[in-house]
Structure formats: C-alpha cells, structure tokens
Amino acid sequence: KTVKEGLENIKVFLEGIRKHSDLPVSKLYEAMKITAYMGNELSTNCVDNGLITKTTVKTGAAKRPNVILTLTEKGEKYCEVKQA
C-alpha cells in the first residue's frame, strides 16, 4: 500500500466518523463496509495521531459498553484541508 492510499483511507475513515458520529464502532464499521480489523487499525492510527478520540459508553449491566469515535479539532481540520 502506498502512503497516498493510506492517507486516502484515513480521510475516508474520518469522513465516515463525521457522517455517523452517533454510531458505536461496530455499527460504524458496518456502515462504512470495513472489517473490524481494518477499522481498529485505522482508529488506533487516528487516535495515536490526535485525529479522533474514543469514548466508552455503558449501555446496561449485561451488555458490553459501546465505543464512540469522535473527531478532534485536528481531525476536523484534516478533513477540511484534504477537501480543498
């Protein structure tokens, strides 16, 4: 994979988070038609680079908590710059 392809994947991923900001990661990955592995790789990369944050939300005693991804200010700016 080239660096350009990697950057394009990040841009598409960030746009997906922006569009589906209310979805937990499992539903977000499903909506974006990516595997959990790819989504986790992209989200880890984006967290490490300060583009997104992960928030854990408890939904009930028996259920696993949901993880919500949110763009940071840096992530928002990255989307705006890449659109220009």
Side-chain angles (χ1 to χ4, degrees), residues 8 15 19 24 28 32 49 58 60 63-64:
E8 186 61 27
E15 289 295 337
K19 183 178 178 183
L28 174 68
M32 294 176 68
N49 286 291
K58 296 204 179 224
K63 288 188 171 184
R64 293 177 61 195

Side-chain angles (χ1 to χ4, degrees), residues 10-82:
I10 290 171
K11 179 186 179 296
V12 170
F13 186 66
L14 293 175
E15 289 295 337
I17 293 170
R18 179 188 265 176
K19 183 178 178 183
H20 303 289
S21 61
D22 57 331
L23 295 179
V25 290
S26 58
K27 298 293 183 192
L28 174 68
Y29 298 166
E30 192 176 301
M32 294 176 68
K33 295 179 176 42
I34 60 174
T35 64
Y37 177 82
M38 180 175 276
N40 290 337
E41 288 285 310
L42 286 165
S43 67
T44 298
N45 184 317
C46 290
V47 168
D48 290 349
N49 286 291
L51 299 171
I52 63 171
T53 58
K54 287 183 179 183
T55 306
T56 303
V57 180
K58 296 204 179 224
T59 55
K63 288 188 171 184
R64 293 177 61 195
N66 284 330
V67 176
I68 305 292
L69 303 179
T70 308
L71 293 180
T72 62
E73 189 175 326
K74 184 177 176 181
E76 289 282 355
K77 286 181 181 174
Y78 184 90
C79 287
E80 291 165 13
V81 167
K82 292 296 178 183

